[in-house]
Amino acid sequence: PPRSTLFPYTTLFRSPLALELIYGTFLLPYLLLAPISILATYLIYRSARVRLQSKTNEVEALSELHLATAEALATAIDAKDQTTHCHVRRVQIYAAGMGEIFGLSADEIAALKAGALLHDIGKLAVPPHILNKPGPLTPAEFEKMKIHTVVGAQILGRVDFPYPVIPIIRHHHEQWDGRGYPDKLRGEQIPITARIISVVDCFDSVREDRPFRRGMTLDEATALLLRGSGIHFDPLVVEQFIKYLPRFDAEIERLGL
């Protein structure tokens, strides 16, 4: 039809009243439902947030319980192995600091803290006359000593730790050159957390006085790590530990350990 014939209809549907009738009627259900949808979304969000916070609190409580259990077990280990509680606390500081330097995850750093306490838990299965023998162990005695890594991993395998502590327990006596135990892992096959504990535990252990030997000086212990670098120990871990040692020791001195 001619444009003149359509004009009245076009004008009608462009009028405010027509637009309001058409679009108002069309949008009315959505306008009514919108507040209900927003409210429902908010209630779902609030419920999910409450559940998440509750779960977070449960995980934190469980983590604290595991750490308290670890500290209790560490006290028993220290008593049998003639080490001091200050030793494991210092190892904790060294290990956690190294974990941060290497950019490890929060779970791995938590594992390092627990591993510092529990890496020798398997020594509870080693006879005291071997554990505290003043001289070198015989080959047969050394074989009995070596079981502490496997036994320790088995003990902690019964505990549902929320972070990966068992690889530390099992592998902290592996060596960089593959001559360690129990699995003769070499290089980066050894978990980084176990490589860290190996270095820092050795360093602090040799500096402690024992009934059968005097503790090494700082320079002697550092030289021991350097001699073992690339053979017994991960060379990068040794390098970074010595680099940041003054910072760690300042924290240990501040805490009176």
Side-chain angles (χ1 to χ4, degrees):
R3 186 173 177 181
S4 59
T5 327
L6 292 172
F7 180 72
Y9 300 101
T10 308
T11 305
L12 174 63
F13 285 106
R14 286 181 181 172
S15 70
L17 179 59
L19 292 172
E20 184 178 348
L21 287 171
I22 294 169
Y23 291 105
T25 304
F26 177 73
L27 293 174
L28 183 59
Y30 295 96
L31 293 174
L32 292 173
L33 288 172
I36 298 173
S37 299
I38 293 169
L39 178 61
T41 302
Y42 169 72
L43 292 174
I44 292 170
Y45 162 76
R46 189 175 68 174
S47 174
R49 185 175 179 181
V50 169
R51 288 198 303 270
L52 179 61
Q53 185 60 50
S54 175
K55 192 66 177 176
T56 301
N57 291 341
E58 287 177 14
V59 170
E60 289 176 354
L62 185 61
S63 181
E64 289 175 5
L65 177 62
H66 280 127
L67 195 56
T69 303
E71 289 175 347
L73 288 169
T75 302
I77 300 164
D78 295 345
K80 187 171 183 181
D81 196 23
Q82 296 185 6
T83 58
T84 67
H85 187 64
C86 287
H87 162 67
V88 293
R89 287 289 292 113
R90 289 191 298 266
V91 172
Q92 262 191 332
I93 291 168
Y94 289 145
M98 289 293 288
E100 291 173 3
I101 288 163
F102 277 86
L104 301 189
S105 68
D107 279 354
E108 288 172 315
I109 292 174
L112 282 168
K113 290 179 179 178
L117 293 170
L118 295 174
H119 61 280
D120 281 336
I121 187 173
K123 286 184 177 178
L124 294 172
V126 178
H129 72 276
I130 294 176
L131 199 58
N132 296 305
K133 184 177 178 179
L137 299 179
T138 66
E141 289 170 337
F142 186 56
E143 288 302 313
K144 289 182 180 178
M145 175 68 83
K146 284 162 60 175
I147 69 167
H148 82 274
T149 54
V150 176
V151 170
Q154 290 171 345
I155 291 171
L156 291 185
R158 299 173 181 272
V159 182
D160 186 21
F161 271 92
Y163 28 78
V165 68
I166 294 175
I168 296 174
I169 310 305
R170 184 176 181 92
H171 297 301
H172 70 280
H173 279 292
E174 305 286 0
Q175 295 184 16
W176 188 254
D177 63 4
R179 296 183 179 182
Y181 61 88
D183 299 317
K184 298 191 181 299
L185 302 183
R186 64 167 55 241
E188 294 187 0
Q189 292 177 333
I190 308 166
I192 181 61
T193 48
R195 284 180 266 154
I196 288 172
I197 289 291
S198 176
V199 169
V200 302
D201 180 56
C202 174
F203 176 81
D204 197 77
S205 293
V206 298
R207 293 186 67 190
E208 275 208 321
D209 289 325
R210 296 292 182 92
F212 48 86
R213 62 159 174 79
R214 71 166 182 84
M216 290 185 178
T217 65
L218 173 63
D219 289 342
E220 289 170 339
T222 302
L224 177 68
L225 291 185
L226 290 171
R227 287 196 301 273
S229 178
I231 303 169
H232 193 117
F233 306 117
D234 179 341
L236 183 58
V237 173
V238 171
E239 175 191 312
Q240 293 299 303
F241 178 65
I242 292 172
K243 177 180 178 180
Y244 288 96
L245 183 57
R247 181 207 291 182
F248 301 148
D249 280 346
E251 173 70 5
I252 286 168
E253 185 176 356
R254 185 183 69 80
L255 294 172
L257 298 173

